[in-house]
């Protein structure tokens, strides 16, 4: 199988790497960016839009870049390598995938131009306090009212909600709380009457929010696709999110491994560099093995995320997340061990990679959750 990039993909990789490196030349520059009101400066998002990254998921006919899973992988790997804080995962992957796969032609005509230009950002609000990683556990309701809906409920840990103009919200139109049927995805303006957003910083330098909806009135065209059959769409969105997280993790682990090897070469003990000790060389190699296994799984995710077979796709992306989670923990913890005390010092960039990898391990499903999905019997896999 040919894993070489074509000319356009190589150009995209080089361009996004240059831009991310220019925006994040040092830890100090990253920390300064975090002080912006939304957790990232407006000019940073504008730079990604100017490069065409914000139009990546949409076809050229829709005014976008026409990229696919491989292009998304290249962008997210650069995000991880440089610890980018702009909400590319929330808007470019989660929100845009919901619109791309579930939106009508009219919805896309209305929203895609502003998304491509960078004027509009999206996010996905699907997690509830009681739901853990169960996508079908939805207590937020969207009751029918005339031709539209009235939304009530709350969502937790919504990524970059305070920076989003629109939220893609999962809500129950019919059925009981954990029924797989009766769930819809709705486009909800962040400034709509009845929407309250309580934002906060996360441990890895990102931002999230608790969002509540109090009798929010929505028109009929707020629904993405079937308002009672939205669970398969939500599953597709999360699978694309897992593929993006896998690529981001690879970028971060790659940077952290390089930092660790360089530290072993320069740190001296007993008059020689500690990198000359064979036991530490072996540990650095074990980190590299975990990194390369994760890289292979990120490629596998890019190959499988658009596969039409829902069952094969779900099993593949769960397997990807299990391996990525294990690699994040191993590489992060080994880096701290090999660095010693400096590995946990917030003035050192390696500690921030460690924190981001620790967060990725729990985003969109932890190891135990995805192992359960993989090991379920044939009838239970997709309902886990």
């Amino acid at each position: 199988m040919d894993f070489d990039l074509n000319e356009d993909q190589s150009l995209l990789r080089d361009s996004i790497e240059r831009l991310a490196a220019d925006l994040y030349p040092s830890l100090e520059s990253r920390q300064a960016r975090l002080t912006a009101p939304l957790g990232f400066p407006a000019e940073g998002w504008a730079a990604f839009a100017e490069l065409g990254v914000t139009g990546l998921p949409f076809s050229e006919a829709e005014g976008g870049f026409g990229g696919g899973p491989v292009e998304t992988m290249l962008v997210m790997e650069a995000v991880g390598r440089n610890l980018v804080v702009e909400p590319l995962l929330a808007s470019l992957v989660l929100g845009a995938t919901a619109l791309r796969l579930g939106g009508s032609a009219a919805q896309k005509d209305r929203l895609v131009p502003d998304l491509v230009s960078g004027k509009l950002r999206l996010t996905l609000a699907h997690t509830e306090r009681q739901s853990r990683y169960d996508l079908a556990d939805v207590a937020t309701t969207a009751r029918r009212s005339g031709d539209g809906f009235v939304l009530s409920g709350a969502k937790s840990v919504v990524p970059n909600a305070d920076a989003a103009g629109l939220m893609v919200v999962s809500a129950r139109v019919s059925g009981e709380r954990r029924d797989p049927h009766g769930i819809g995805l709705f486009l909800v303006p962040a400034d709509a009457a009845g929407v309250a957003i309580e934002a906060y910083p996360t441990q890895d330098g990102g931002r999230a929010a608790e969002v509540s909806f109090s009798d929010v009135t929505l028109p009929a065209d707020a629904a993405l696709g079937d308002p009672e059959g939205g669970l398969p769409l939500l599953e597709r969105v999360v699978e694309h999110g897992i593929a993006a997280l896998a690529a981001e993790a690879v970028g971060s682990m790659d940077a952290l491994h390089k930092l660790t090897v360089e530290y072993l070469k320069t740190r001296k003990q007993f008059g020689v560099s500690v990198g000359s000790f064979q036991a530490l060389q072996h540990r650095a190699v074990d980190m590299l093995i975990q990194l390369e296994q994760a890289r292979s799984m990120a490629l596998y995710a890019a190959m499988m995320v658009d596969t039409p077979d829902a069952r094969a796709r779900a099993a593949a992306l769960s397997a990807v997340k299990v391996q990525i989670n294990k690699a994040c923990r191993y590489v992060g913890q080994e880096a701290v061990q090999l660095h010693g005390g400096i590995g946990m010092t917030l003035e050192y960039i390696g500690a921030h990679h460690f924190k981001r990898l620790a967060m990725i391990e729990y985003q969109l499903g932890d190891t135990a959750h995805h192992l359960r999905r993989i090991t379920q019997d044939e009838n239970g896999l997709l309902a886990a």
Side-chain angles (χ1 to χ4, degrees):
M1 186 172 290
D2 183 9
F3 289 107
D4 290 336
L5 302 177
N6 62 36
E7 184 177 351
D8 288 341
Q9 290 167 340
S10 296
L11 180 61
L12 172 64
R13 179 196 59 194
D14 295 343
S15 298
I16 190 68
E17 288 285 359
R18 279 197 302 270
L19 175 59
D22 288 344
L23 292 175
Y24 295 84
S26 64
L27 174 60
E28 291 73 21
S29 64
R30 180 178 188 263
Q31 298 305 93
R33 300 177 76 78
L34 292 176
T35 62
L38 297 178
F40 62 93
E43 59 268 23
W45 187 256
F48 284 109
E50 185 177 354
L51 188 61
V53 173
T54 50
L56 188 70
F58 302 104
S59 69
E60 294 182 10
E62 295 166 331
F65 182 84
V70 173
E71 287 76 15
T72 301
M73 178 186 71
L74 297 175
V75 170
M76 293 306 296
E77 192 170 332
V79 166
R81 185 172 292 110
N82 296 278
L83 291 176
V84 170
V85 296
E86 279 78 7
L88 293 174
L89 176 66
S91 188
L92 171 70
V93 180
L94 298 176
T97 297
L99 179 63
R100 179 174 63 86
L101 297 179
S104 66
Q107 288 169 328
K108 292 178 183 177
D109 287 345
R110 185 173 77 250
L111 299 175
V112 169
D114 284 346
L115 289 169
V116 172
S117 69
K119 294 179 181 177
L120 177 66
R121 288 181 291 268
L122 298 174
T123 191
L124 175 68
H126 73 287
T127 303
E128 299 183 6
R129 291 187 179 186
Q130 82 289 341
S131 66
R132 294 289 291 172
Y133 303 117
D134 185 355
L135 301 182
D137 189 341
V138 179
T140 298
T141 60
R143 70 178 187 274
R144 294 184 184 274
S145 177
D147 293 334
F149 303 87
V150 176
L151 185 69
S152 297
K155 297 294 180 177
S156 291
V157 201
V158 180
N160 300 101
D162 56 340
L166 275 178
M167 293 179 283
V168 179
V169 181
S170 61
R172 183 166 296 285
V173 178
S174 64
E176 299 300 321
R177 197 189 86 192
R178 299 188 67 184
D179 285 350
H181 305 292
I183 297 169
L185 294 183
F186 298 88
L187 292 168
V188 181
D191 59 355
V195 176
I197 299 173
E198 184 180 347
Y200 49 84
T202 55
Q203 289 294 321
D204 57 350
R207 288 184 68 79
E210 303 299 296
V211 183
S212 63
F213 308 96
S214 179
D215 294 332
V216 179
T217 302
L218 300 174
D221 64 358
L224 289 173
D226 182 358
E228 297 193 43
L231 183 59
L233 174 59
L234 179 57
E235 290 172 338
R236 293 290 308 274
V237 172
V238 169
E239 287 162 358
H240 277 267
I242 289 172
L245 282 175
E248 183 184 354
V250 167
S252 183
M253 285 188 282
D254 185 37
L256 188 54
H257 178 257
K258 286 181 170 64
L259 283 169
T260 304
V261 171
E262 184 62 28
Y263 180 79
L264 293 177
K265 289 179 179 179
T266 56
R267 173 75 166 90
K268 291 187 180 295
Q269 195 169 11
F270 307 116
V272 296
S273 71
V274 296
S276 64
F277 301 150
Q278 192 174 55
L280 300 188
Q281 292 174 8
H282 289 171
R283 292 177 69 172
V285 169
D286 288 342
M287 289 176 65
L288 179 61
I289 290 170
Q290 288 288 329
L291 167 61
E292 292 305 315
Q293 287 178 337
R295 195 186 305 277
S296 295
M297 292 305 276
L299 288 167
Y300 182 51
M303 291 166 50
M304 292 297 293
V305 75
D306 275 337
T307 265
D309 186 335
R311 183 169 187 77
R313 191 176 63 241
L317 272 297
S318 280
V320 167
K321 194 58 165 66
V322 167
Q323 185 58 46
I324 290 295
N325 288 354
K326 291 180 176 180
C328 284
R329 175 167 293 218
Y330 186 88
V331 172
Q333 291 183 348
E334 280 295 282
V336 170
Q337 286 282 317
L338 292 174
H339 275 87
I342 193 177
M344 289 294 291
T345 303
L346 295 183
E347 288 74 20
Y348 181 60
I349 189 67
H352 296 268
H353 280 289
F354 174 64
K355 290 168 71 174
R356 180 60 190 140
L357 292 173
M359 290 287 284
I360 288 175
E361 183 182 351
Y362 292 95
Q363 279 189 275
L364 303 182
D366 60 15
T367 302
H369 169 76
H370 285 287
L371 281 174
R372 282 195 300 271
R373 284 176 60 84
I374 293 168
T375 55
Q376 291 241 333
D377 62 23
E378 182 174 355
N379 293 326
L381 176 65
L382 295 181

